[in-house]
Amino acid sequence: MSEPETKHVLVVANETLAGEELLDAVRKRAEEGPIRATVIAPVNEPSAGYVVYRNSRRATAGRRVDRMVAALRATGIPAHGDVFEGGPVAAVQDVLALEDIDELIVSTHPEEKSGWVRKKHVVGRLQRLAGDRPFQHVVSDVTARSGSANVLVIANETVLGEPLLDRIRQRAAEGPAGFLIVCPQSDPTASEHPEAERRLRAALTTLRDEEIEAHGQIAHPDPYTAAMQIVEDERVDEIIVSTFAGERSGWLRRDVVDRLRKDAGVPVEHIVAAAPIGTGAA
């Protein structure tokens, strides 16, 4: 008898690469017949703005890929993997154009936590790209199991203020969490934002020196829009907004905190900086 054909399975996930549900799904598929796996972790580009420390997010995704590839190989499944920028649809299009893929397994968070499912309709788009190929969607609630939260921090002039940094430290001490710090642009007409980037780099360096997982980006000039774009693109479990007090804050005059509490669908905490940090008002 001839040996059964080895099928080439494309595994698509990012944060849920850490989920046992995905690993179990690939193992079960291997029990049905020989496979080899290509594992990809798409990394979304921000909807607007400039990424600070872009490579850190790519490196985090790369570590997830490496762990999944190692776990598959440990069970006897040939596997390799890589990180793709540009989002999941573009990544899968590229792989399908370059490699002979027989089947797809796509993993996401549960619908209420997954930007791929809730807003972007990514799973449906990927299924259409798969065409006649077998397609499996695996839901993995890694947040509930690990307890690790994704915390979105919105701040600009106040990003180096001790009230905000102390709250981030406190939140990190309360339980596992990663922080994405978004600084809305001060001047949307400028191509570069050196002061905002300097503040953001300094805040990230401070937190990372204390072994707190933190990434950052300069984003849309409107803080509400900047926050909601991240909520739509990525899993966000909590939001922290930092502003100056009272009338010093243009953000408060525009009801940014209350609007986010109404629309973001996650807890929103407001931190007030007692005194200006640098110039301007956030």
Side-chain angles (χ1 to χ4, degrees), residues 59-100:
T60 299
R63 288 191 291 272
R64 295 189 189 110
V65 170
D66 290 344
R67 286 194 292 268
M68 172 58 82
V69 166
L72 293 176
R73 289 175 176 172
T75 64
I77 299 171
H80 71 278
D82 204 352
V83 177
F84 283 74
E85 295 185 357
V89 174
V92 170
Q93 284 176 323
D94 287 345
V95 175
L96 292 179
L98 293 171
E99 301 197 39
D100 291 326

Side-chain angles (χ1 to χ4, degrees), residues 238-250:
E238 307 167 24
I239 298 176
I240 299 173
V241 182
S242 175
T243 73
F244 293 122
E247 290 302 312
R248 292 200 62 90
S249 172

